[in-house]
Amino acid sequence: MDGITPAQSSAVRSLLDTKYSNEYDLTGGGADNTLTLTMKPTAVSALEEKTVQQAIETIRDRVDSLGVSEPVIQEYGLGKDQILVELPASPIWTRSRTSSRHGAP
């Protein structure tokens, strides 16, 4: 954060430290009155995990709306930003894949 007046520096630092100290490290506040918030590694990991879970939920909702029976939708590999989607073979999916590759009739 830039543009903090010397009179506001202490109050702003205290507010940021109180509200965000669990997720962010607060540095700076020297003569130039510049403060820097840096996300802690634990907060980054939690955010990444939440993002993958939300993506899995979105994919599952879309696949379920198509009426697919027994799809596999889960984290893949080490669970680091990869999602495995396995759909059972069916005539509907074969037609769907063909249509998507060659354009709809």
Side-chain angles (χ1 to χ4, degrees):
M1 295 179 65
D2 292 328
I4 303 168
T5 65
Q8 297 171 325
S9 180
S10 179
V12 170
R13 183 175 192 70
S14 177
L15 176 68
L16 291 173
D17 196 36
T18 300
K19 284 191 158 253
Y20 300 108
S21 64
N22 291 336
E23 297 91 17
Y24 294 89
D25 288 321
L26 179 62
T27 58
D32 64 354
N33 290 319
T34 299
L35 298 173
T36 303
L37 288 168
T38 306
M39 190 176 277
K40 293 181 179 181
T42 54
V44 171
S45 295
L47 182 60
E48 288 173 346
E49 185 176 324
K50 181 178 178 182
T51 302
V52 170
Q53 290 303 316
Q54 286 178 332
I56 288 172
E57 289 175 26
T58 300
I59 293 167
R60 183 173 309 283
D61 288 344
R62 291 180 182 178
V63 169
D64 287 348
S65 73
L66 297 172
V68 177
S69 62
E70 301 181 28
V72 175
I73 304 168
Q74 63 190 22
E75 291 183 30
Y76 180 73
L78 299 176
K80 191 78 172 154
D81 301 334
Q82 296 181 10
I83 299 171
L84 173 68
V85 179
E86 291 181 347
L87 304 173
S90 76
I92 294 172
W93 288 111
T94 305
R95 283 192 309 254
S96 175
R97 284 182 50 207
T98 303
S99 295
S100 67
R101 280 193 220 152
H102 302 291

